[in-house]
Amino acid sequence: MFSPKSFKAGSLAAALTLGTVLAAGDALAHAVVTESSLKEHPIQVNHATKVVLFFNSNVELALSKVFLVSKGDVHQPVDIARGKKPGEVMISVPALTEGDYALKYKVFAADGHLTEDVIRFKVTAQR
Ligand SMILES: [Cu+2]
């Protein structure tokens, strides 16, 4: 279901999906990512960092899970913590080598609904 083959083509699809979800105006329903720190702060090579996701709803952290997905469909659970604002979730991403990765999350919203999605990203050396 998360094959390396579909990995690269996924970025655009993910962006389009996010746009569609936002446009649907489902604000009172499930926890949907409205913003990600990855856009303005791409992850640097060999540099552990925190990625912040902003959801449109409060998230039950104890029931939620985030995995770092790397080449070969390797899933590695990562630590999540509450951010400063409601709906803000901090994800601890370990130091990564260059390549394609994804954050796969399963989060429970305050309304008890489960949302599962994948955010793909690339780690490239600074030039
Ligand atoms: Cu919901």
Side-chain angles (χ1 to χ4, degrees), residues 13-92:
L16 290 173
T17 305
L18 182 58
T20 309
V21 169
L22 291 178
D26 201 10
L28 295 175
H30 330 292
V32 171
V33 171
T34 56
E35 228 187 300
S36 152
S37 64
L38 283 170
K39 267 189 276 174
E40 289 194 16
H41 305 284
I43 292 179
Q44 291 173 27
V45 176
N46 300 324
H47 200 88
T49 187
K50 295 235 195 291
V51 170
V52 188
L53 296 184
F54 301 90
F55 289 88
N56 64 340
S57 146
N58 251 319
V59 169
E60 300 290 342
L61 284 193
L63 301 171
S64 303
K65 267 198 160 61
V66 178
F67 296 91
L68 173 72
V69 186
S70 42
K71 208 173 173 182
D73 199 26
V74 177
H75 285 56
Q76 171 187 352
V78 290
D79 285 338
I80 53 176
R82 197 170 296 285
K84 291 183 197 101
K85 285 179 249 164
E88 199 176 310
V89 176
M90 317 264 291
I91 299 167
S92 299

